[in-house]
Structures are given as C-alpha cells and as structure tokens.
C-alpha cells in the first residue's frame, strides 16, 4: 500500500509521519485490498465558519475501483480522522459487493 501526501503549503515532518501511520492503522484490516492512497490537504478560502481545512482522500483498490472522500473540518487532524472513517465504510461496501458478485479474486497479493 502506497501512501502519497500532497499539500499546497509546507507540512511538518511529524504531521506527515502521523498521517501515514494513521492511514495504515485505520485501514489495517483492509490494507491488502488497497493499492494506492492519496491524501491532499488544502485550506478553504473565506470560510464563513470555523471549518477551513479540507482533506481529500483518494483510494485505488486492486480491482481498479476508485473511492474519493472530501471532508472539511476545523483542523487537519480532525478532517483526516473523519475522512478515514468514511473511507473505511466505503471500502467495506466495496469488499462485500465484490465478494457477492465474485469480482474479487481469492488470491490478491499486496
């Protein structure tokens, strides 16, 4: 599983390692199904509320399924947590659907 981190502004090294570790931990049960994860951080300009950090998580599975989730929250960490929770739900749905219709091979190697 490849974790790619993108941001317009500079990201601290500690937050970069936190993001990678958090992504790997939250998807630890389904990591074998994921080929590539891309996490993008950005700031929302002129937000009327306190929520001004945007996190986009793009995921590619081994059966070439694309999952994309966008979350806006007060800070990056909260946006990442909420986004990973949504991604995990979508991954479970994709896995169950693939198993139901036989689209997923029994031998998928990471």
């Amino acid at each position: 599983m490849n974790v790619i981190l993108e941001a317009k502004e500079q990201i601290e090294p500690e937050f970069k390692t936190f993001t990678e570790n958090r992504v790997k931990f939250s998807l630890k049960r389904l990591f074998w199904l994921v080929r590539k994860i891309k996490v993008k951080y950005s700031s929302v300009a002129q937000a009327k509320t306190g929520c001004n950090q945007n996190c986009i998580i793009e995921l590619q599975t081994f059966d070439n399924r694309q999952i994309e989730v966008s979350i806006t929250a007060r800070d990056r960490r909260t946006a990442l947590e909420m986004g990973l929770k949504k991604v995990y739900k979508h991954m479970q749905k994709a896995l169950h659907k693939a198993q139901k219709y036989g689209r997923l091979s029994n031998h998928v190697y990471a």
Side-chain angles (χ1 to χ4, degrees), residues 42-54:
S42 63
S43 297
V44 178
Q46 299 178 355
K48 293 183 180 181
T49 62
C51 300
N52 62 353
Q53 296 295 323
N54 194 19

Side-chain angles (χ1 to χ4, degrees), residues 4-19:
I4 302 168
L5 186 65
E6 294 180 1
K8 292 183 179 180
E9 58 270 349
Q10 188 67 24
I11 296 179
E12 302 85 27
E14 296 88 21
F15 189 71
K16 186 174 184 177
T17 56
F18 169 77
T19 301

Side-chain angles (χ1 to χ4, degrees), residues 22-106:
R22 191 65 196 146
V23 166
K24 289 177 182 177
F25 177 77
S26 65
L27 297 176
K28 67 181 176 183
R29 291 186 187 164
L30 299 175
F31 77 93
W32 57 273
L33 188 61
V34 178
R35 177 179 289 165
K36 181 172 49 172
I37 296 176
K38 191 181 290 186
V39 180
K40 297 179 185 178
Y41 292 110
S42 63
S43 297
V44 178
Q46 299 178 355
K48 293 183 180 181
T49 62
C51 300
N52 62 353
Q53 296 295 323
N54 194 19
C55 178
I56 299 172
I57 301 173
E58 296 175 0
L59 188 99
Q60 182 181 10
T61 62
F62 275 100
D63 59 344
N64 293 324
R65 188 177 297 231
Q66 295 281 357
I67 298 173
E68 184 175 334
V69 174
S70 176
I71 296 291
T72 304
R74 291 179 186 220
D75 60 344
R76 291 180 181 170
R77 187 174 185 160
T78 307
L80 178 68
E81 294 289 333
M82 291 169 47
L84 288 174
K85 191 182 288 188
K86 274 193 168 184
V87 164
Y88 191 78
K89 281 184 170 181
H90 286 292
M91 285 292 298
Q92 283 182 325
K93 283 183 185 178
L95 176 65
H96 292 303
K97 194 177 283 187
Q99 286 177 339
K100 183 178 178 182
Y101 296 113
R103 292 186 193 133
L104 187 66
S105 166
N106 291 333

